[in-house]
């Protein structure tokens, strides 16, 4: 069967992108990374993608007068690569409403909290300040609202006494790298459906869409 063609958008380190690339290297993985696009030329993830033989593009938002014009060029680049699904992986640009509409139901994001708690920036600081005992990460379809949209799956981790933004980020990131390839697989296998803003994943065990990792 043809593999689902995925375009990954990044702005920086690209460790989630790397997790998707690594998963897609397995011959039985149902998705392939068709291209990686960064809005920043200095994103470290670009080099990782190039080394993996994936075609990369830099489309700098600074070259555009407004968000929608930038978004339209990113979309055109994705279409040139015949992308069927967009995966945001640390892409730190707010999109104009045009883009999520254009890719509605075909764009996913990973965010380092149990949404709808703590959208936006400084996510772990928000979690630590709130005193939550559980945090984690969320993979969701993208809608025009920031870090919002139908939730596909989450991975939870404990917040431990003495945690700093760095230790909590690292604990969550390990789960991001498990969760994102798993969800991409489900989508590529055609198991994921959205109705009334809620997601169902067919033919997975009950509870498969919530990972819990108690390890520190
Ligand atoms: C990840 O923790 C991702 O969840 C987060 O940025 C980091 C990117 O790291 N994304 C967001 O906060 C989106 N709102 P990475 O470049 O190593 O994947």
């Amino acid at each position: 069967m043809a593999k689902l063609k995925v375009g990954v958008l990044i702005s920086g380190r690209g460790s989630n992108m790397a997790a998707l690339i690594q998963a897609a290297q397995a011959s039985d993985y149902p998705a392939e990374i068709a291209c990686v696009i960064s809005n920043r030329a200095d994103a470290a993830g670009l080099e990782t993608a190039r080394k993996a033989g994936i075609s990369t593009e830099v489309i700098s938002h600074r070259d555009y007068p407004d968000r929608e014009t930038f978004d339209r060029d990113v979309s055109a680049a994705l279409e040139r690569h015949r992308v069927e699904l967009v995966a945001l992986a640390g892409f730190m640009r707010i999109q104009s409403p045009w883009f999520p509409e254009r890719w509605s139901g075909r764009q996913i994001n990973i965010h380092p909290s149990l949404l709808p708690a703590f959208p936006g920036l400084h996510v772990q600081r928000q979690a630590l300040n709130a005193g939550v005992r559980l945090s984690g990460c969320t993979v969701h379809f993208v809608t025009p609202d920031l870090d919002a949209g139908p939730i596909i799956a989450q991975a939870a981790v404990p917040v431990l006494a003495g945690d700093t933004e760095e230790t909590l980020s690292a604990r969550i990131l390990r789960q991001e790298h498990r969760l994102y390839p798993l969800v991409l697989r489900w989508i590529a296998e055609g198991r994921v459906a959205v109705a009334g803003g809620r997601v169902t994943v067919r033919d997975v065990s009950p509870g498969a869409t919530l990972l819990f990792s108690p390890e520190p």
Side-chain angles (χ1 to χ4, degrees):
M1 232 177 82
K3 295 188 180 218
L4 183 77
K5 287 188 187 301
V6 179
V8 182
L9 304 190
I10 63 168
S11 298
R13 180 178 55 184
S15 71
N16 278 290
M17 171 212 73
L20 296 180
I21 290 174
Q22 201 194 348
Q25 278 165 352
S27 58
D28 65 347
Y29 195 77
E32 65 179 277
I33 309 305
C35 65
V36 169
I37 298 174
S38 172
N39 66 314
R40 296 182 55 118
D42 61 354
L46 285 169
E47 186 57 22
T48 313
R50 280 185 209 118
K51 280 191 181 139
I54 292 173
S55 80
T56 61
E57 282 193 38
V58 175
I59 303 178
S60 173
H61 57 275
R62 302 212 172 140
D63 296 341
Y64 293 85
D66 56 59
R67 287 186 196 277
E68 186 172 319
T69 318
F70 167 76
D71 284 353
R72 283 179 182 269
D73 261 18
V74 171
S75 188
L78 292 164
E79 277 162 20
R80 276 199 300 280
H81 290 278
R82 307 241 176 284
V83 163
E84 298 162 287
L85 181 88
V86 180
L88 304 182
F91 183 64
M92 302 314 252
R93 285 298 294 168
I94 292 174
Q95 297 176 329
S96 66
W98 181 85
F99 195 96
E101 189 57 42
R102 172 71 184 76
W103 292 88
S104 177
R106 299 187 300 138
Q107 183 177 204
I108 56 176
N109 179 43
I110 188 157
H111 182 78
S113 73
L114 296 176
L115 290 172
F118 317 133
L121 296 175
H122 308 298
V123 182
Q124 282 78 30
R125 194 185 307 165
Q126 293 186 58
L128 291 171
N129 288 343
V132 293
R133 301 303 201 257
L134 195 64
S135 192
C137 55
T138 303
V139 178
H140 62 95
F141 285 109
V142 176
T143 58
D145 297 319
L146 181 66
D147 297 323
I151 290 172
I152 307 167
Q154 296 184 306
V157 302
V159 180
L160 303 174
D163 261 340
T164 62
E165 287 179 59
E166 289 70 31
T167 58
L168 182 55
S169 295
R171 190 176 307 121
I172 291 172
L173 196 64
R174 283 196 291 279
Q175 300 310 311
E176 295 186 44
H177 298 163
R178 288 176 68 201
L179 190 68
Y180 217 6
L182 184 64
V183 170
L184 180 58
R185 169 184 281 281
W186 290 335
I187 293 174
E189 289 172 345
R191 296 168 189 260
V192 178
V194 195
R198 294 193 58 174
V199 174
T200 49
V201 184
R202 266 193 298 119
D203 300 331
V204 291
S205 57
T209 56
L210 169 63
L211 307 182
F212 177 62
S213 180
E215 47 109 19

